[in-house]
């Protein structure tokens, strides 16, 4: 009997007995929710943006009807251009600044500063068109009132979105589930940090060297080999697979990455960094569980483009307004 138990334990650690009882580990939730079901919460960013868009359209139509005292369809397109430009600019900057991402590391002040910047950008674009278009356009006061009402509504909506996301995180619905490949010192450090931070769940460890690996690291169980991981029951609940093997072992890392390429789960390689700030930033990135954007993440070129347009819209009018003062200062310096 003892020999059978020892043999079953050895097979279990090697990943040959998938149904063998295992400890749950200190970070495994009481009830696991599949990635597909959890993704429904992360897709809320799509719904938030849809509600914001509908709010802007409905509010604009109602306010234009009240301010102009006639149906919106009867208004000349020239009168609507400032409003259209202002709303589109606001909506575009909300997307460009990734304000529907709601990442774990995002701060509330930064988020609402971004919303305020988007509203200000829209107001600036609308005001600029009111200034350059002929008199048939809507009055500056009407456009400003409409944009401020829309901006205030957006701030209220994003306060609601922020509250919802904060509650979901408190309930653990956005906390990422991880498994680690390699029972190494780096894996041990990662698990130790995760136990302190409590912003990610490490469900288990997989290691091909079963005969040399421990039964657990800080209570997180070794569940088998990478071959066993491909068919393990825990994988439908895993958001991220972290390979914690020394990158210098290039052949072994390449073999493992090739083997894991068939998984639908995201796979990342954990680099050991001796600089504490960069190591903390890497762990922050692992723990971050943002709401999924509707389109691919905004790249650096698009963010630079958004910043450039913002500089032009606000900078050119400011330059024109201060040009007489600067000319007088230049003249005074010359005379002096």
């Amino acid at each position: 009997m003892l020999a059978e138990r020892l043999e079953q334990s050895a097979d279990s650690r090697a990943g040959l007995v998938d149904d063998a009882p295992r400890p749950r580990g200190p970070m495994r939730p009481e009830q696991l929710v599949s990635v597909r079901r959890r993704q429904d919460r992360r897709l809320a960013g799509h719904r938030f943006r849809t509600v914001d868009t509908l709010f802007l359209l409905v509010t604009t139509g109602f306010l234009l009807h009240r301010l102009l005292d006639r149906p919106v369809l009867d208004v000349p397109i020239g009168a609507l251009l400032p409003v259209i430009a202002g709303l589109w600019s606001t909506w575009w900057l909300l997307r460009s600044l990734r304000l529907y991402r709601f990442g774990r590391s995002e701060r509330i002040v930064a988020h609402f500063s971004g919303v305020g910047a988007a509203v200000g950008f829209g107001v600036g674009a609308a005001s600029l068109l009111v200034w350059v278009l002929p008199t048939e356009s809507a009055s500056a006061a009407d456009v400003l009132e409409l944009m401020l009402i829309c901006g205030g509504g957006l701030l209220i909506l994003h306060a609601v979105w922020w509250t919802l996301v904060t509650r979901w995180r408190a309930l653990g619905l956005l906390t990422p589930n991880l498994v680690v490949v390699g029972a190494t010192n780096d894996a041990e450090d990662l698990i130790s940090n995760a136990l302190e931070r409590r912003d990610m769940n490490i469900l288990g460890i997989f290691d091909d060297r079963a005969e040399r690996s421990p039964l657990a690291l800080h209570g997180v169980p070794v569940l088998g080999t990478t071959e066993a991981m491909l068919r393990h029951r825990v994988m439908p609940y895993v958001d991220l697979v972290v390979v914690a093997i020394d990158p210098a072992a290039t052949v072994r890392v390449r073999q493992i990455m090739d083997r894991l390429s068939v998984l639908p789960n995201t796979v990342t390689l954990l680099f050991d960094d001796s600089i504490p700030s960069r190591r903390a930033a890497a762990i922050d990135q692992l723990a971050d569980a943002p709401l999924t954007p509707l389109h691919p993440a905004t790249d650096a070129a698009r963010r630079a483009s958004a910043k450039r347009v913002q500089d032009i819209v606000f900078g050119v009018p400011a330059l024109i307004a201060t040009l007489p003062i600067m000319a007088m200062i230049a003249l005074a310096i010359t005379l002096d």
Side-chain angles (χ1 to χ4, degrees):
M1 180 68 70
L2 179 59
E4 290 180 359
R5 288 184 179 179
L6 290 174
E7 183 178 356
Q8 184 178 13
S9 175
D11 290 344
S12 172
R13 289 181 60 190
L16 301 177
V17 182
D18 199 27
D19 295 327
R22 307 176 191 275
R24 295 180 59 87
M27 286 181 279
R28 179 169 171 173
E30 288 297 324
Q31 181 178 4
L32 286 173
V33 180
S34 69
V35 173
R36 182 174 297 179
R37 287 180 57 193
R38 285 152 49 82
Q39 190 70 8
D40 183 63
R41 296 289 184 183
R42 294 181 187 160
L43 293 176
H46 304 176
R47 304 184 186 101
F48 294 165
R49 186 162 63 187
T50 300
V51 173
D52 285 357
T53 303
L54 291 175
F55 165 77
L56 290 174
L57 293 176
V58 172
T59 304
T60 300
F62 173 77
L63 290 176
L64 282 176
H65 178 76
R66 182 176 65 83
L67 294 172
L68 301 176
D69 198 23
R70 51 178 164 167
V72 176
L73 295 178
D74 295 339
V75 180
I77 189 63
L80 296 178
L81 276 179
V83 175
I84 294 173
L87 293 178
W88 183 87
S89 299
T90 300
W91 181 84
W92 175 72
L93 200 60
L94 285 172
R95 281 189 52 200
S96 298
L97 295 178
R98 305 172 74 182
L99 293 175
Y100 295 101
R101 187 173 181 269
F102 293 93
R104 181 182 297 276
S105 58
E106 186 177 7
R107 296 293 175 260
I108 187 170
V109 174
H111 183 87
F112 283 96
S113 296
V115 176
V119 173
F121 183 60
V123 171
S127 302
L128 182 62
L129 281 182
V130 168
W131 181 46
V132 300
L133 285 177
T135 55
E136 67 189 32
S137 63
S139 68
D142 289 345
V143 171
L144 183 61
E145 178 183 354
L146 188 150
M147 290 301 302
L148 290 178
I149 291 175
C150 289
L154 281 176
L155 288 170
I156 294 173
L157 285 173
H158 275 256
V160 175
W161 308 152
W162 187 275
T163 302
L164 285 175
V165 173
T166 302
R167 176 170 173 77
W168 293 340
R169 283 219 167 85
L171 294 174
L173 298 176
L174 296 178
T175 303
N177 292 331
L178 283 65
V179 293
V180 179
V181 176
T184 62
N185 292 333
D186 292 338
E188 191 171 8
D189 290 342
L190 175 63
I191 294 170
S192 177
N193 279 295
L195 286 169
E196 291 178 5
R197 297 160 56 103
R198 293 293 178 178
D199 53 6
M200 58 180 130
N201 300 321
I202 300 181
L203 305 182
I205 304 166
F206 294 89
D207 197 313
D208 286 333
R209 303 179 180 183
E211 68 283 354
R212 284 187 280 173
S213 66
L215 290 173
L217 292 178
H218 293 298
V220 177
V222 176
L223 301 177
T225 64
T226 53
E227 187 64 32
M229 181 173 65
L230 301 181
R231 60 181 186 274
H232 201 281
R233 292 172 298 177
V234 79
M235 296 310 292
Y237 308 99
V238 173
D239 299 288
L240 185 64
V241 178
V242 180
V243 179
I245 296 174
D246 186 0
T250 55
V251 175
R252 186 184 176 200
V253 170
R254 189 182 302 113
Q255 290 174 346
I256 290 175
M257 298 299 282
D258 289 343
R259 191 176 303 162
L260 300 183
S261 63
V262 299
L263 290 172
N265 315 74
T266 302
V267 181
T268 187
L269 184 62
L270 179 66
F271 284 91
D272 183 24
D273 200 320
S274 58
I275 301 177
S277 60
R278 293 202 311 207
R279 189 180 186 88
I283 296 175
D284 285 340
Q285 190 172 2
L286 291 177
D288 191 19
L291 302 189
T292 303
L294 185 60
H295 298 288
T298 306
D299 56 23
R302 286 183 58 189
R303 288 197 295 271
S305 175
K307 182 66 169 62
R308 179 62 176 165
V309 173
Q310 184 179 357
D311 290 344
I312 291 173
V313 170
F314 289 106
V316 171
L319 180 62
I320 295 174
T322 58
L323 188 59
I325 299 174
M326 290 189 292
M328 293 176 62
I329 294 174
L331 179 61
I333 292 173
T334 302
L335 292 176
D336 185 64

